[in-house]
Amino acid sequence: MTILQMRYFLTVCRLQNITHAAAELHLAQSTLSQAMQAIEEETGLNLFLRSGRTIRISQDGQKLAQKVTVLLREVDVFEENVREMASRHGKLSLAVPQQQASLLIPRLLNTFQNEHPEIQLDIIEPYGLEAARLVREEKADLAVVNYDGSTVPDLQYHRITSRAVKFVVWPEHPLAKRASISLKEAAQFSLVLLSEEFYVTRLLLRSFAAAHIEPDIAYFSPHLSTLYSLLRTHTAPSILFEPAVASLDGLVTVPFDKPLSLTSCIITKKSRQISKDQRLLIKFIRQQLLDDWTTPDS
């Protein structure tokens, strides 16, 4: 007996009239009668006591109806669970740290959402390292980060392009007109950096340590806006991922003679299958970053 036949059977039991049941089910009366006969033949039970168009449910029919009712309730629960699972594929949690947020979030909320209104985006703005942790713990479906080359075994890194990390100052600073500088020259000044939860700062501290240089870090901030304010008030220079300041007026970026760079990538969890919606989002983000950074620094 199929699930559809079970639903037909319960409708006939409830209405006790083939004509009325057929009308409610939008079936031909002959089709429904044949379906009921097929159930009786399959089960070997006499389910109905017929008197013209009116039928009464036999004792066996009543017992079967009770069992079918219980079974169909379980089927309904199962189908609802499947629908909920399917609906979650239309919701994506995306972690976008600050250095990517100003570029990507307006385009995600405008262009991507207009092109794919069926996909609901839940966007959060953690630090770079925190973004990777959220994906690892499956609290975010994917993250966009500029990472320092280190990897976590259970994460998949979809690399896009690399860009330079540069010394950032104001036009009147003594090093502003230099074609390039060394880490040692940068360390002669008190610096303001992003906090150590950012990949760029982790890269810098590792690079200073490898060169046996102890920089004077005047302040670590978790907010790019704070660093922008300190730079514009000529308080202290900084070292940042170049695209993080590319759109800001009044600041100068100077490359290092031994280039430092971060790699833009999208992070997903290795053990989780990438859904169709995720592939669409990954393709969109990749294209946005490549369009803005068509000539990677090295």
Side-chain angles (χ1 to χ4, degrees):
M1 189 187 310
T2 67
I3 291 175
L4 188 59
Q5 286 176 320
M6 293 181 191
R7 298 193 189 280
Y8 290 172
F9 173 66
L10 288 186
T11 303
V12 173
C13 291
R14 175 167 53 84
L15 298 177
Q16 299 193 55
N17 186 291
I18 289 290
T19 301
H20 294 166
E24 183 173 306
L25 294 167
H26 304 289
L27 295 173
Q29 183 176 328
S30 59
T31 300
L32 185 57
S33 296
Q34 290 171 7
M36 295 305 99
Q37 291 173 7
I39 293 174
E40 287 184 314
E41 291 174 2
E42 182 179 341
T43 61
L45 300 173
N46 183 15
L47 303 175
F48 306 104
L49 302 175
R50 295 172 177 82
S51 177
R53 293 184 178 179
T54 301
I55 60 174
R56 289 187 297 113
I57 310 304
S58 69
Q59 191 172 23
D60 285 341
Q62 292 173 9
K63 291 180 180 179
L64 181 63
Q66 291 173 356
K67 295 181 182 298
V68 167
T69 299
V70 172
L71 180 58
L72 286 181
R73 284 175 186 162
E74 294 180 359
V75 170
D76 289 340
V77 170
F78 170 76
E79 291 178 344
E80 179 62 26
N81 289 339
V82 171
R83 283 193 292 271
E84 288 180 4
M85 290 170 62
S87 68
R88 285 197 292 271
H89 285 294
K91 298 177 183 178
L92 291 179
S93 176
L94 172 65
V96 185
Q98 293 179 33
Q99 293 184 82
Q100 296 82 18
S102 59
L103 167 70
L104 287 176
I105 290 180
R107 300 181 186 187
L108 288 166
L109 295 180
N110 292 318
T111 307
F112 184 80
Q113 289 283 238
N114 288 334
E115 292 176 355
H116 301 285
E118 76 282 2
I119 300 175
Q120 180 181 334
L121 288 181
D122 178 17
I123 303 175
I124 50 180
E125 296 183 57
Y127 307 129
L129 294 173
E130 175 72 2
R133 185 187 67 80
L134 290 173
V135 175
R136 186 172 65 251
E137 296 179 1
E138 300 188 13
K139 295 178 181 178
D141 295 303
L142 59 158
V144 186
V145 300
N146 301 313
Y147 84 118
D148 59 356
S150 59
T151 59
V152 177
D154 55 348
L155 295 180
Q156 182 70 44
Y157 294 78
H158 308 267
R159 293 169 176 80
I160 299 174
T161 187
S162 294
R163 294 282 289 190
V165 171
K166 293 185 178 181
F167 187 67
V168 185
V169 292
W170 47 96
E172 297 81 10
H173 190 275
L175 298 181
K177 296 183 179 180
R178 292 281 298 275
S180 65
I181 63 170
S182 66
L183 276 175
K184 186 175 182 179
E185 288 176 301
Q188 294 174 3
F189 300 88
S190 292
L191 301 171
V192 289
L193 301 178
L194 287 170
S195 55
E196 294 183 49
E197 291 85 359
F198 287 82
Y199 283 105
V200 63
T201 301
R202 191 166 70 170
L203 171 67
L204 288 171
L205 295 180
R206 193 168 63 241
S207 299
F208 279 125
H212 305 288
I213 298 170
E214 289 196 17
D216 176 14
I217 311 300
Y219 186 64
F220 288 99
S221 175
H223 303 294
L224 272 170
S225 57
T226 301
L227 296 193
Y228 296 157
S229 178
L230 292 170
L231 284 162
R232 283 173 165 156
T233 55
H234 302 183
T235 302
S238 185
I239 301 175
L240 294 168
F241 187 52
E242 192 267 342
V245 293
S247 62
L248 298 177
D249 296 328
L251 296 178
V252 177
T253 60
V254 183
F256 290 100
D257 54 4
K258 295 181 179 179
L260 298 175
S261 65
L262 293 175
T263 300
S264 298
C265 71
I266 298 169
I267 299 176
T268 57
K269 185 75 177 288
K270 276 186 178 179
S271 59
R272 293 186 63 180
Q273 182 178 1
I274 298 177
S275 68
K276 176 183 176 183
D277 291 345
Q278 285 177 300
R279 287 195 295 271
L280 286 172
L281 184 56
I282 289 172
K283 180 180 179 181
F284 178 83
I285 292 172
R286 180 186 295 274
Q287 190 59 58
Q288 296 304 309
L289 295 182
L290 288 176
D291 284 350
D292 269 60
W293 308 337
T294 52
T295 308
D297 293 334
S298 57

